[in-house]
Structures are given as C-alpha cells and as structure tokens.
Amino acid sequence: MEAKLEPIVKTLQAKFGGSFEEFRGEVHYFIQPAQIVEALTLLRDQHQFELLSAQTAVDYWPQTSPRFHVIYQLSSLAQNITLQLRVPVNGDSPTVPTATGVFDSANWRERELLDMFGIQFEGHPDPRRILMPEDSDGHPLRKDYPLGYEEPQFTFNFEDIDLRKPYAKE
Amino acid sequence: MGVEQKLGNMGVVTTTLESVVNWGRTNAMWPMLFGLACCAIEMMSAQSSSYDMSRFGMELMRASPRQSDLMIVAGRVSRKMAPVLRRLYDQMPEPKWVIAMGDCASCGGVFNNYAILQGVDEVVPVDVYVAGCPPRPEALIHGVMTLYEKVKADKFVPTQDK
Ligand code: SF4
C-alpha cells in the first residue's frame, strides 16, 4: 500500500471498524451505509480528499450477497493518492444515504445509479431518472435485467416477428 | 403557316402534370441534417467534393425540418431520442420522405439492447433502407436514387389514401 495511505486507512479502521482489500495498489475500504456520509466528510476535511472522481456501483448477483457494492472513488490532488470506499447494499430495497451534502458532484451520479441499478439515495434533492426515458421499466445494469431487446430475424422466423413488429403509421 | 410548326420551333414538349411535378421534386430535394452517430460521417463525405451529392440536386442540407422534405436518419436512435425524431418528422411539410441510413437506423444493428430503438420504422414510416455499417457514400447515393425512382412513380392522391 502507498505509504501515505496507511495512516488514513488506520484512522478509518479505528473510527468505523470495517476491513479493506488491496488489488494492484488500489485500496478498497468496506464500510456500512450508515457511516458513509461521516466517512466522506472525514476524508474530505481532514485528509484532503477534495475530489469525488467517480461514484459507481457493481451488481454481484447471483454469486454474492449483499448483491450491490456502491463505490466512491476519492482522489486527493494535494497528496496524489486515491482511495475507494465500498458500501455493500442488499438487493431488496437498496438504500444508501446521499453524498450530495458532502460532494455536489454526487448529484447526477446518484441519479445515474438510481436509474441503472435502482439504488435509492435517501435525502437526494432530485431523485429522477437521468439516462433512460421517464416511463421506462426496470434498471438495465442489474444482472437480472433481460439481455437483448428484440429477437433477431432469420429466414425461419421472419414472418412471425414481422407481424409483431410495431411499424409506424404515416 | 401551321401552329404546330411554330410551336415545334419553340421547343415545346407535352407531358403529364404528375411527371413534371415529380421531376421537380426529385431534382431539388432538401435533406434534413439528422446525423446521430458514425453513419453521419459517411453522410458528410457523400456531400463532400469527391462524392458530391449535389450533382443530384441535394446540396442543401437544412438544419430546420420546416425547410426540408427528406429525412436521412444517419445513425442509431436511442429510445430517448425517438419522440424527438417523431416530432421533427411531424414538423416537416408534405410531401416528405425518410431514408433509414445504416443498419442501426434500419433494424437496430449490433445494438440489440434496452437503449436503442430497433429500427426507426417503429416511429416514422421509412421509404428506403440503406444497408451497411456504415454504408459507403455510394450506397447512400444509390439509396437516394432509389428514392427518386419511387418519387417519380408517385401518383397525385390525397395523402391519407397513400
Ligand atoms: S450502422 Fe454502423 S456506422 Fe452506422 S450508426 Fe450504426 S454502428 Fe455506426
């Protein structure tokens, strides 16, 4: 681990418990949803992580439970280090407190996570879909969302599909 | 001195109104700019000097649907774009035609997924489909020529019965 990261991870462990994983120099720190706002505030104010450079999620269904990990990638421009915070959330009604109070840039990213994964962010100022049309169903980046939209037409099923296809009128 | 002779000297040709109007339509077709993705690059080069679509009276790409009579949908249409596409189509004055350029606009192409419309014929009536990913400029010009053949055969009937 990067020498500058060690004391920071130690501070986090002393305050929040939790564990970390390291992969090729990237440190992922696991934390509970209830603690995330406090952890982000601490890192921003005391450890110069002034940039939330990415906020994303991964769906590990069906191998892992809880199925979602919400990931916050923090960068410190002053110290030239990055740190990932991972929040595991359950699939039934995934809810995480919003980070918009700490980093303004979390606003649209949380809307994207809401849209793509259906993760609710409690206290988000504007919880709407951002990429998909307002009236669409489901959350496309979930692993159980059906792949492929339309059955491909081959010679044997051409007529079949053609009859079902919703052609536009004049 | 016969009238026929005189008129013959003036170079009069007789034809039907239909064919002269359709001839006029084909030789001054103004396509609307509708470049949505990679296919738009080929549409641009079809306009450029080496392919030069203006030989066929199409040098004017209009940015406004009110001034155009041909919509070349060049590229993939996302589901969020679909209502916009339809609205622009509705704003075009009659008579109007649509060319679906490329596999994506014709049938969704390689993007068989939640984000992309599986062919623009779900939202607007398409006259000519141009295959290819992307179609070469020659293919687009051939598509336009095919459309001209269609327009030349047009009959004057009320649009509802078309
Ligand atoms: S048909 Fe090919 S070139 Fe055209 S928009 Fe689709 S992917 Fe791009």
Side-chain angles (χ1 to χ4, degrees):
Chain A
M1 199 194 304
E2 179 102 25
K4 283 182 261 178
L5 265 178
E6 265 170 47
I8 298 168
V9 171
K10 285 228 172 66
T11 329
L12 286 175
Q13 265 177 326
K15 200 158 161 63
F16 301 109
S19 58
F20 69 89
E21 253 174 34
E22 194 179 347
F23 179 73
R24 295 188 182 162
E26 279 192 359
V27 179
H28 294 261
Y29 191 85
F30 288 83
I31 197 161
Q32 290 308 308
Q35 301 168 325
I36 185 67
V37 174
E38 204 184 335
L40 289 171
T41 317
L42 178 94
L43 288 168
R44 183 192 66 181
D45 294 343
Q46 325 244 308
H47 298 285
Q48 293 175 296
F49 281 97
E50 58 282 88
L51 183 68
L52 177 68
S53 47
Q55 183 180 4
T56 179
V58 190
D59 185 2
Y60 290 107
W61 184 83
Q63 298 94 335
T64 317
S65 170
R67 65 186 275 188
F68 296 115
H69 284 183
V70 181
I71 302 169
Y72 299 76
Q73 175 156 20
L74 295 165
S75 301
S76 169
L77 304 178
Q79 308 175 74
N80 192 20
I81 47 176
T82 60
L83 175 65
Q84 273 77 234
L85 296 182
R86 266 178 190 254
V87 180
V89 263
N90 211 317
D92 311 327
S93 62
T95 311
V96 182
T98 178
T100 43
V102 194
F103 293 103
D104 277 342
S105 63
N107 189 324
W108 281 19
R109 286 160 183 170
E110 287 180 354
R111 278 178 66 187
E112 189 179 343
L113 295 186
L114 170 70
D115 195 354
M116 293 286 133
F117 291 94
I119 298 171
Q120 304 288 335
F121 287 89
E122 243 173 328
H124 191 281
D126 184 22
R128 284 182 296 138
R129 284 180 180 271
I130 191 169
L131 298 172
M132 299 290 290
E134 286 291 331
D135 55 354
S136 55
D137 290 336
H139 304 287
L141 289 192
R142 287 192 175 196
K143 290 279 169 63
D144 47 4
Y145 191 85
L147 262 187
Y149 183 79
E150 195 182 65
E151 213 182 332
Q153 268 173 319
F154 296 107
T155 36
F156 72 91
N157 58 4
F158 190 92
E159 305 265 292
D160 244 20
I161 294 175
D162 209 48
L163 285 177
R164 275 189 270 128
K165 215 170 143 67
Y167 288 113
K169 301 285 167 311
E170 214 22 71
Chain B
M1 209 198 290
V3 162
E4 302 86 356
Q5 202 180 350
K6 180 111 182 167
L7 291 179
N9 287 343
M10 287 162 70
V12 165
V13 282
T14 56
T15 174
T16 61
L17 184 63
E18 240 169 34
S19 38
V20 77
V21 167
N22 286 338
W23 171 81
R25 282 174 179 168
T26 52
N27 284 292
M29 213 171 249
W30 289 4
M32 183 170 73
L33 279 174
F34 214 93
L36 292 168
C38 7
C39 271
I41 302 294
E42 295 301 295
M43 183 171 68
M44 288 171 221
S45 59
Q47 300 266 313
S48 72
S49 50
S50 19
Y51 296 98
D52 198 13
M53 210 147 70
S54 65
R55 284 176 294 165
F56 309 107
M58 308 189 48
E59 69 273 33
L60 274 177
M61 291 296 251
R62 307 311 293 189
S64 155
R66 309 249 183 228
Q67 300 168 348
S68 45
D69 50 7
L70 169 64
M71 179 188 246
I72 302 180
V73 185
R76 58 199 127 80
V77 184
S78 66
R79 277 179 197 284
K80 222 172 174 178
M81 192 70 184
V84 182
L85 181 92
R86 180 69 211 195
R87 170 177 281 203
L88 288 171
Y89 177 79
D90 288 340
Q91 286 179 348
M92 285 162 61
E94 293 275 354
K96 52 193 172 185
W97 298 277
V98 178
I99 291 183
M101 179 185 180
D103 291 352
C104 289
S106 305
C107 65
V110 292
F111 304 103
N112 191 2
N113 61 23
Y114 64 90
I116 303 295
L117 203 65
Q118 303 299 303
V120 288
D121 46 13
E122 288 183 15
V123 286
V124 292
V126 176
D127 294 288
V128 176
Y129 299 87
V130 181
C133 178
R136 288 189 54 85
E138 294 97 320
L140 177 61
I141 293 172
H142 177 253
V144 172
M145 297 289 100
T146 314
L147 179 68
Y148 283 1
E149 293 310 312
K150 183 176 175 177
V151 173
K152 278 180 191 151
D154 239 4
K155 294 276 174 272
F156 283 3
V157 283
T159 10
Q160 301 89 278
D161 306 349
K162 228 201 272 182

